[in-house]
Amino acid sequence: MIGPVADPAPSGLTHVRADGTAHMVDVSGKEVTVRRAEARGTVLLSAAAVAALRDGTVPKGDALAVARIAGIQAVKRTPDLVPLAHPVAVHAVAVDLEVADDGVSLRAEVRTADRTGIEMEALTAVTVGALALVDMVKAVDKHARITDVRVTAKSGGRSGDWVEDRS
């Protein structure tokens, strides 16, 4: 049975009913607002893999372009991957990658005008972009490591704006 918009269990967990079963929260009564989320992550790489990215000599081709497109595509598939994520209308996605001496930094920004947040979409963009990058460079670096994937900012909705404090 579908409960009201705010139907948390006694524990306060919004995606768990009083009987302990998981459910998708009803957002039909929430206001549509403009929402934005940003996520970041890092793929740590060997010096050889970084050099191949900088020189454009990755055997599989343009690894950064493939990772960027993979991240963008992943945003649109988030509700298929995250069981309780709502399908939302994605209005804009940007996935940026920056090569550094120790690997690649990924940043995704996702925007919508909808009833629920878009943080899962931003996290999915970074994570799948990082996976695609690892796949592209694995012939050069079998020890590539994805790290520090996190939401770094969000705006819109009832909880308002938030920016990561890394101090």
Side-chain angles (χ1 to χ4, degrees), residues 15-17 19-24 84:
H15 288 71
V16 179
R17 293 186 182 124
D19 68 0
T21 58
H23 73 108
M24 181 181 273
L84 300 179

Side-chain angles (χ1 to χ4, degrees), residues 7 13 17 37 40 44 60 77 88 100 128 141 145 150:
D7 186 24
L13 300 174
R17 293 186 182 124
R40 293 179 185 260
L44 297 175
K60 286 188 169 186
R77 304 297 299 198
V88 295
V128 173
D141 186 354
R145 185 174 60 197
R150 70 216 183 266

Side-chain angles (χ1 to χ4, degrees), residues 41-116:
T42 303
V43 178
L44 297 175
L45 298 170
S46 66
V50 168
L53 287 168
R54 288 182 170 152
D55 299 341
T57 58
V58 174
K60 286 188 169 186
D62 189 346
L64 300 176
V66 170
R68 182 177 299 106
I69 296 300
I72 292 167
Q73 284 183 308
V75 167
K76 299 181 280 184
R77 304 297 299 198
T78 300
D80 295 330
L81 301 169
V82 181
L84 300 179
H86 291 84
V88 295
V90 175
H91 294 124
V93 179
V95 177
D96 299 310
L97 297 95
E98 184 178 329
V99 180
D101 290 342
D102 63 346
V104 176
S105 296
L106 295 92
R107 177 189 167 276
E109 181 178 346
V110 185
R111 293 178 185 261
T112 188
D114 217 315
R115 290 179 165 85
T116 190

